[in-house]
Amino acid sequence: MGKNWSNCTQKIHFMTAAVYRDTVRGVLTRQYGRIRNGAKLLAGRIDTSPRTVRNWLDGVSAPRGEELMKLMIECDELRDEIFRLVDEGRQCPNE
């Protein structure tokens, strides 16, 4: 069982904090980064501060659980990317 876990761990290396942060940053930048007041617009839609959204766009931080859920409701592309990461994590050889 330990050997299978090791293989699985190698396969799911993608789910690091940096990959998560960069995925969110990339999607949000494509969707809102070029819009004038994009951070303010998105912040209003998901009930958070523009500074928080700016931090996501700048890659300083990434959304927490509730914020991520609101973002996924607002942004189909982000939802699809997060689900893609989850699906990749399910592809362990011991299943």
Side-chain angles (χ1 to χ4, degrees), residues 21-84:
R21 183 193 63 231
D22 292 346
T23 298
V24 171
R25 177 185 184 191
V27 172
L28 294 183
T29 298
R30 283 191 298 277
Q31 296 291 320
Y32 296 94
R34 295 185 179 155
I35 298 173
R36 183 182 169 136
N37 297 318
K40 187 175 181 179
L41 174 68
L42 181 57
R45 289 181 177 173
I46 64 167
D47 194 31
T48 194
S49 74
R51 185 69 211 148
T52 297
V53 174
R54 188 82 244 154
N55 284 339
W56 300 338
L57 290 167
D58 293 341
V60 173
S61 62
R64 294 173 292 186
E66 182 179 355
E67 296 163 333
L68 177 61
M69 290 178 66
K70 289 178 180 180
L71 283 169
M72 290 171 70
I73 290 167
E74 180 63 32
C75 181
D76 291 342
E77 183 182 352
L78 180 61
R79 184 196 63 224
D80 294 344
E81 281 296 305
I82 295 298
F83 286 158
R84 182 188 59 77

Side-chain angles (χ1 to χ4, degrees), residues 6-18:
S6 176
N7 291 339
C8 186
T9 301
Q10 291 172 2
K11 281 209 169 247
I12 61 173
H13 71 279
F14 67 87
M15 194 45 104
T16 64

